[in-house]
Amino acid sequence: MATPQDLQDLIRLLTVGRKIPMLQAMTQIKALQAVELRSIRQIAESTLETVQSAIKDDKAAKTLQNACKAAIKRGAAEGGSNKRGASSSTTTPPAKRTKNELFMKGPVEMTPQELEASLDLPLIMDEDKIRHTVIETNRAPLVLAFAVELLRFTMPEQPPSSRLSLGQAVVSANSRSKAVSLGLQKGPSADEEGWGEGQPRVKVMGREIAVLKRSGYEWNGEEKVGDADEKEDIKAESAEPPIHPLFASPSAPKPIWTTSQPITLKDSTFIARSIHMSHPSERHTLMRSLLAAHPDLKTASHNAWAYRLKPSEGSTSNRPREESFDDGETGCGELMLKIMRETNAVDTLVVMTRWFGGTLLGPDRWRLMRNVVTSALTERFRKTGAQVTLGGEALWGLDLEAAKNKATVGGYGSGTQMHETTGVVGMQIHRPEAARRYLMRSFVMAEEKEEKVEAKSPTRGKRHKTAKMLEAEKEEALGLLLGALRMLFDSWADHLDAAELDRRAWGWYCAVRPNVENGVAGWGNKGAVKLEEILGLRRPTNGEMKSS
């Protein structure tokens, strides 16, 4: 039978070990209790199917059970030598760790997939419901919501944790600038004092922020990465004849293509190949030989290509020669050229193939195309021994004010929060968990304020809302807001490049932000945001284009 200590240990594993918000953790515990799983040991020793019946997300259920098994194993290792002959199957709960011990040992390490899943945000795409919704908030969290959704389109290679961190960096910098203009803060910012000197920078909603590269962080979304045995040889493929005259010599090697692993999401499959090419006239022959070697490519929806070549001899320009072709996959050719510039790839032809699965992928397709093209180029450079610095790394938004003040107080507009110092000495970042919590609590339905007044009146018959009901309403309000923003950015994504989309985003925010009093009197005040106005900023589908 489970004890109160068992419940405390399970709560600690979920909230401290796996960094699940308390409300979400209690919801999971209640679901587990419904199937008679009340302790870490019971979850570890249960069947996966039973855990999955409580935790509807199969991946999350498996992760939870593995975490419970690891906790049991650690407990046995730490307590096994206390008494000679003690049973390894003892049900005695491990001693409760103090806060200091928890801090020293740190939380249970999560995989990238687990981290990103824990940061999932609500999303409601019901256009009719969005159109009739008015939310109440202040300006800072609305900036964060705009930035997080914008980054899905302008920097699709960034995982959710990076989008939250970068978005919070924008909020912090913007709010501090506003505080200085109102006289609430004085003196130069940490950025102006050079605390971000030497760090790379990116532009989000028109504001440059200092960032830190998350070297080695690899994350995939919901896509499935193909195994090696799905292709006859994904590392190197020899193209069959016909052979270009340049390769006609008996001693000349056949052209070798390096190939990415195939990636599938919602029945769309992407794969990329790269090969050496030294003259534009070779492209047609190389493409023909590739299709001859792999007839299945003829069934693909798109076979886009791009190449970069060294300047020709005698040319007065030192710029590489470039050309690309989308083959109906909007923006693919330019994206491939961008990646080739980032990797300094020359004398190279890249072919990106997609089989369309019938479902539009939105900004995810940019990330998938980048992944396969980068993989094909990386493999080719590795084989030839060339050194290449890849673009598109995952990033953290640096918290320069925290670094300057050496404090543990959150950035402007984010409330009090703990900051984590990364492995780079002195580099403090905006934690994505804090940014997510800020979003989850910052939006309410506009009518909620009136309902609270009614609930306090003894003459009213309405029941006062519980904390759980209020949390659910806040989550719904955020989901509707993010759905409206997703529709807005998606309508423009295929018609504007990333830089122009970023430039316009701030104007769109200003057009819908809540009206508050000017000056200090309006600092931090809340106001109404009509989600219909966000939908009204979408790109018209017909007729004359609206000015933006």
Side-chain angles (χ1 to χ4, degrees):
M1 181 175 178
T3 66
Q5 182 65 49
D6 291 327
L7 177 60
Q8 292 178 19
D9 290 341
L10 184 53
I11 292 174
R12 189 181 303 114
L13 182 143
L14 290 172
T15 59
V16 178
R18 301 198 59 230
K19 292 189 175 181
I20 294 177
M22 178 60 76
L23 182 63
Q24 184 180 344
M26 294 306 298
T27 301
Q28 288 191 8
I29 289 172
K30 194 170 183 179
L32 290 164
Q33 289 174 340
V35 294
E36 300 302 317
L37 299 179
R38 303 176 183 276
S39 68
I40 292 175
R41 182 172 293 280
Q42 289 175 349
I43 297 170
E45 295 176 350
S46 176
T47 63
L48 178 59
E49 290 73 18
T50 302
V51 181
Q52 289 173 338
S53 69
I55 310 298
K56 302 305 181 183
D57 186 324
D58 291 351
K59 188 179 296 184
K62 186 174 182 180
T63 300
L64 172 60
Q65 188 177 51
N66 288 340
C68 290
K69 289 179 180 178
I72 295 294
K73 188 174 181 180
R74 284 196 304 272
E78 292 169 1
S81 61
N82 289 341
K83 290 185 179 181
R84 184 176 297 179
S87 171
S88 61
S89 59
T90 178
T91 57
T92 302
K96 185 176 179 181
R97 291 192 289 171
T98 66
K99 289 184 178 180
N100 285 338
E101 289 174 327
L102 288 171
F103 177 78
M104 293 300 292
K105 292 187 177 182
V108 177
E109 187 174 346
M110 291 192 288
T111 66
Q113 297 294 338
E114 291 170 341
L115 172 62
E116 304 308 334
S118 72
L119 297 170
D120 191 40
L121 291 169
L123 180 70
I124 301 175
M125 301 286 284
D126 185 335
E127 182 169 348
D128 185 63
K129 192 169 186 178
I130 292 172
R131 194 175 296 280
H132 293 90
T133 296
V134 179
I135 63 173
E136 189 176 74
T137 185
N138 55 25
R139 292 181 173 183
L142 186 62
V143 172
L144 179 57
F146 260 84
V148 169
E149 271 302 312
L150 172 68
L151 286 164
R152 286 180 56 88
F153 295 86
T154 57
M155 300 176 69
E157 70 279 5
Q158 294 299 316
S161 57
S162 291
R163 296 175 208 150
L164 285 163
S165 178
L166 295 171
Q168 188 59 57
V170 173
V171 173
S172 179
N174 183 66
S175 297
R176 191 190 188 286
S177 295
K178 184 66 175 178
V180 170
S181 69
L182 295 177
L184 298 175
Q185 293 286 328
K186 296 181 179 180
S189 67
D191 198 8
E192 291 169 337
E193 290 185 353
W195 283 83
E197 186 176 355
Q199 291 301 125
R201 292 175 177 271
V202 297
K203 184 173 287 188
V204 183
M205 294 187 73
R207 180 178 289 276
E208 279 197 351
I209 55 173
V211 299
L212 179 69
K213 292 183 179 180
R214 300 167 64 180
S215 301
Y217 188 80
E218 296 182 2
W219 167 79
N220 293 317
E222 298 176 357
E223 65 267 22
K224 175 181 177 290
V225 179
D227 296 324
D229 56 8
E230 292 186 21
K231 296 291 176 181
E232 58 273 22
D233 183 5
I234 66 166
K235 297 300 182 183
E237 298 168 333
S238 176
E240 299 297 329
I243 300 297
H244 188 270
L246 288 175
F247 300 104
S249 169
S251 60
K254 293 180 180 180
I256 301 297
W257 293 84
T258 54
T259 310
S260 73
Q261 290 179 304
I263 298 179
T264 300
L265 177 64
K266 297 178 182 177
D267 297 325
S268 282
T269 298
F270 298 78
I271 192 169
R273 294 173 170 86
S274 65
I275 195 170
H276 174 81
M277 190 177 87
S278 57
H279 193 275
S281 62
E282 297 176 39
R283 185 197 59 79
H284 178 71
T285 301
L286 289 172
M287 291 285 294
R288 188 173 59 181
S289 66
L290 177 63
L291 294 173
H294 300 279
D296 59 313
L297 297 184
K298 298 176 183 178
T299 68
S301 309
H302 314 282
N303 283 298
W305 54 261
Y307 67 74
R308 292 185 85 230
L309 305 175
K310 293 176 183 176
S312 57
E313 292 186 13
S315 173
T316 57
S317 172
N318 60 357
R319 297 172 62 87
R321 293 170 288 173
E322 299 178 345
E323 189 176 353
S324 66
F325 174 62
D326 287 343
D327 194 24
E329 184 65 80
T330 307
C332 180
E334 182 56 38
L335 174 65
M336 287 192 286
L337 286 177
K338 179 181 178 182
I339 298 170
M340 295 174 81
R341 295 179 196 122
E342 292 173 348
T343 60
N344 196 29
V346 291
D347 288 351
T348 300
L349 168 68
V350 178
V351 179
M352 199 293 300
T353 302
R354 178 187 183 184
W355 287 267
F356 179 58
T359 302
L360 296 176
L361 302 182
D364 282 333
R365 75 183 181 96
W366 297 103
R367 175 168 53 83
L368 302 184
M369 289 190 295
R370 173 179 279 277
N371 285 351
V372 294
V373 171
T374 298
S375 176
L377 288 172
T378 302
E379 180 63 19
R380 190 179 82 80
F381 280 111
R382 187 188 68 80
K383 285 181 176 297
T384 60
Q387 298 297 316
V388 59
T389 301
L390 298 178
E393 298 97 335
L395 304 170
W396 287 127
L398 284 173
D399 189 345
L400 301 180
E401 296 297 329
K404 173 185 174 182
N405 299 324
K406 297 182 179 179
T408 57
V409 179
Y412 293 93
S414 64
T416 300
Q417 65 190 58
M418 293 298 293
H419 290 257
E420 179 174 313
T421 302
T422 67
V424 180
V425 177
M427 295 295 178
Q428 290 182 283
I429 63 172
H430 288 282
R431 292 300 311 175
E433 300 89 343
R436 181 185 185 276
R437 288 195 296 270
Y438 185 37
L439 284 174
M440 295 294 288
R441 69 171 184 258
S442 296
F443 304 94
V444 297
M445 299 296 188
E447 67 270 19
E448 184 178 326
K449 185 175 181 181
E450 180 181 345
E451 290 178 5
K452 282 184 178 180
V453 173
E454 291 176 347
K456 291 180 180 179
S457 174
T459 62
R460 302 284 184 177
K462 293 188 177 182
R463 181 170 59 90
H464 185 69
K465 292 180 181 178
T466 65
K468 186 174 182 180
M469 293 169 64
L470 292 174
E471 288 294 332
E473 288 190 3
K474 289 180 179 180
E475 182 173 331
E476 182 182 20
L478 174 59
L480 290 166
L481 170 62
L482 295 179
L485 292 172
R486 182 77 57 89
M487 292 180 186
L488 167 61
F489 292 127
D490 189 52
S491 71
W492 290 99
D494 287 339
H495 304 276
L496 302 175
D497 62 25
E500 180 62 16
L501 190 62
D502 184 272
R503 186 190 70 79
R504 295 196 187 193
W506 183 258
W508 292 333
Y509 156 75
C510 292
V512 302
R513 66 187 178 187
N515 290 321
V516 297
E517 291 184 66
N518 293 326
V520 177
W523 178 258
N525 285 356
K526 291 185 176 182
V529 177
K530 297 179 180 179
L531 300 191
E532 183 178 17
E533 293 182 355
I534 296 178
L535 295 182
L537 296 170
R538 289 181 295 178
R539 182 178 183 273
T541 54
N542 50 44
E544 190 171 339
M545 296 289 293
K546 295 180 181 179
S547 60
S548 295

